[in-house]
Amino acid sequence: MKQVVISGTGLYTPPFSISNEELVTCFNAYAERFNRDNAAAIASGAVSAIEASSVGFIEKASGIKSRYVMEKEGILDPARMVSRIPERGDDELSIQAEMAVAAARQALERAGRGAADIDMVLVACSNMQRAYPALAVEVQHALGIDGYGFDMNVACSSATFGIQTAVAAVKSGQARAVLVLNPEITSGHLNWRDRDSHFIFGDACTAIVVEAKETATSAHQFEIIETQLKTSFSNNIRNNFGFLNRFDEAGIGQPDKLFRQQGRKVFKDVCPMAAEMIKTTIAKAGLEVPQVSRYWLHQANLNMNLLISRMILGRDAEPLEAPVILDSYANTSSAGSIIAFHKHQDDMPAGALGVICSFGAGYSIGCVVLRKL
């Protein structure tokens, strides 16, 4: 059976950043106006007042200090609180494809590969801007890749599930090399008027080149020595937006058509699941936890990552053992663990071991054990 490597990674970071201070100023202006306009209903108990947000609340709850977005003026307008991004014509490159192409070019350069070396393009992310044609096929066309492409969605675990899908394609001989792309415009599914979640998400796109070890020439190779995937149904993270919404007009525009979660339940459920999954995947690879020097975890919440690391290691992780990027990127869904991997890999010596782990809605968990070559 062929051995498979990650030979290159890429990252597209949007041009705009929103600080917690900016976000809180906008949210509190909205809350103040809502409470003023609904003062009588609030006084009668018919409507609940909106509590003000604060920088301290956000950072204590999440560890997030800022986030990148594709457009910020619309988000920071208290009368709108949604990005202003015009629709593009059918003959123009779509915005998610544009992000993916930028990240892909960086990953291909690090891998020492060109379009002619790729046989498969996989766009794996939590939100697609359209139903069809597949974004992967659009990206394939934009990069001039001959082969095939398709989209997949496993929410925040899309990247790790995508890596496993790519590994299977390379091992079977279906593809010489696979480009896995994670274009996340999570600002699009976020309810910026919900105090409990208005700070969670940011936009970004990551790219990964997966290919056979025997033909890889990159100076940035990580051998994929084990993968493991798991799903377990839960309603604790949910988004009901879809093309069937128009069947019931009463639901159009309702809060459940955006991201929503029961945060405490998610924390309680997912932390032990993720920690156990990581330990069992390491064992499945014939390794022991002390042999692993780095954990690139899903970047959703700092408190979750601290607890998961503690459950794996039996102690608090050192900063480089479990790198954090969510302070500046926030939760970028499937891209988060790959951003951490992309930014914190080059310092590792040959032979060093690491684990990419994602976890999120579904519930879904994916683990990939890597060895630096």
Side-chain angles (χ1 to χ4, degrees):
M1 188 70 75
K2 290 182 181 177
Q3 293 177 296
V4 183
V5 299
I6 291 175
S7 57
T9 55
L11 170 64
Y12 170 80
T13 299
F16 306 104
S17 178
I18 298 177
S19 68
N20 285 348
E21 289 79 7
E22 290 176 296
L23 202 61
V24 165
T25 297
C26 174
F27 181 87
N28 288 348
Y30 160 72
E32 181 180 353
R33 183 166 62 185
F34 177 91
N35 293 341
R36 182 178 63 249
D37 292 346
N38 294 277
I42 291 170
S44 70
V47 173
S48 297
I50 297 177
E51 183 180 353
S53 187
S54 72
V55 170
F57 160 67
I58 292 172
E59 294 187 9
K60 181 179 180 181
S62 67
I64 296 168
K65 297 180 180 179
S66 61
R67 72 284 298 144
Y68 291 97
V69 294
M70 295 302 287
E71 197 278 338
K72 67 183 287 184
E73 290 186 6
I75 293 171
L76 295 180
D77 178 354
R80 179 179 174 87
M81 298 175 81
V82 176
S83 289
R84 291 187 180 92
I85 300 178
E87 286 193 3
R88 299 181 179 185
D90 290 353
D91 294 330
E92 298 178 273
L93 190 66
S94 68
I95 188 168
Q96 276 188 295
E98 182 180 283
M99 297 167 71
V101 166
R105 285 180 172 147
Q106 187 180 116
L108 289 168
E109 181 179 0
R110 281 178 65 87
R113 293 301 182 197
D117 301 307
I118 305 296
D119 292 326
M120 170 181 163
V121 178
L122 174 56
V123 168
C125 59
S126 60
N127 294 278
M128 306 290 179
Q129 70 181 86
R130 63 171 184 267
Y132 42 79
L135 284 163
V137 178
E138 182 182 12
V139 173
Q140 174 195 352
H141 174 72
L143 291 172
I145 292 170
D146 183 25
Y148 65 101
F150 59 93
D151 298 343
M152 64 182 291
N153 182 346
V154 201
C156 294
S157 291
S158 295
T160 50
F161 277 63
I163 291 171
Q164 162 57 29
T165 304
V167 168
V170 173
K171 284 188 174 182
S172 70
Q174 189 74 31
R176 294 167 300 158
V178 180
L179 190 56
V180 181
L181 304 165
N182 320 111
E184 295 285 11
I185 307 182
T186 54
S187 58
H189 77 181
L190 182 55
N191 185 351
W192 297 94
R193 292 175 172 171
D194 175 34
R195 180 180 181 272
D196 291 336
S197 66
H198 75 110
F199 53 86
I200 291 178
F201 289 103
D203 303 336
C205 180
T206 46
I208 310 153
V209 176
V210 176
E211 61 178 307
K213 180 181 177 182
E214 62 189 16
T215 57
T217 60
S218 167
H220 309 284
Q221 293 182 50
F222 282 81
E223 183 181 0
I224 300 171
I225 58 178
E226 190 59 72
T227 62
Q228 192 167 352
L229 310 176
K230 183 178 180 61
T231 54
S232 177
F233 185 75
S234 171
N235 278 318
N236 291 333
I237 310 173
R238 193 170 178 109
N239 182 337
N240 288 329
F241 179 77
F243 66 90
L244 296 184
N245 293 158
R246 67 192 187 112
F247 287 5
D248 182 0
E249 292 81 355
I252 295 174
Q254 294 302 306
D256 74 312
K257 306 307 184 292
L258 297 169
F259 166 85
R260 59 193 172 101
Q261 71 170 352
Q262 299 184 55
R264 288 187 176 89
K265 289 184 178 180
V266 172
F267 191 98
K268 181 180 178 181
D269 291 347
V270 171
C271 288
M273 288 174 63
E276 185 60 27
M277 180 81 159
I278 290 170
K279 290 189 285 188
T280 59
T281 309
I282 292 171
K284 188 179 176 185
L287 303 169
E288 297 180 354
V289 167
Q291 294 177 268
V292 177
S293 60
R294 191 150 302 174
Y295 296 89
W296 301 284
L297 302 178
H298 173 46
Q299 304 287 307
N301 180 288
L302 180 60
N303 298 314
M304 289 185 76
N305 285 14
L306 292 174
L307 178 57
I308 290 168
S309 299
R310 195 176 303 124
M311 295 174 80
I312 297 166
L313 301 171
R315 58 174 173 79
D316 290 337
E318 296 295 327
L320 272 181
E321 284 183 292
V324 174
I325 57 89
L326 72 91
D327 53 342
S328 57
Y329 278 83
N331 182 346
T332 53
S333 192
S334 67
S337 59
I338 309 303
I339 297 173
F341 174 54
H342 176 77
K343 286 181 168 288
H344 297 279
Q345 61 168 264
D346 289 345
D347 64 309
M348 297 178 70
L353 298 163
V355 175
I356 299 173
C357 181
S358 60
F359 38 87
Y363 296 127
S364 59
I365 303 177
C367 284
V368 182
V369 181
L370 304 174
R371 179 186 288 114
K372 178 73 176 287
L373 298 180

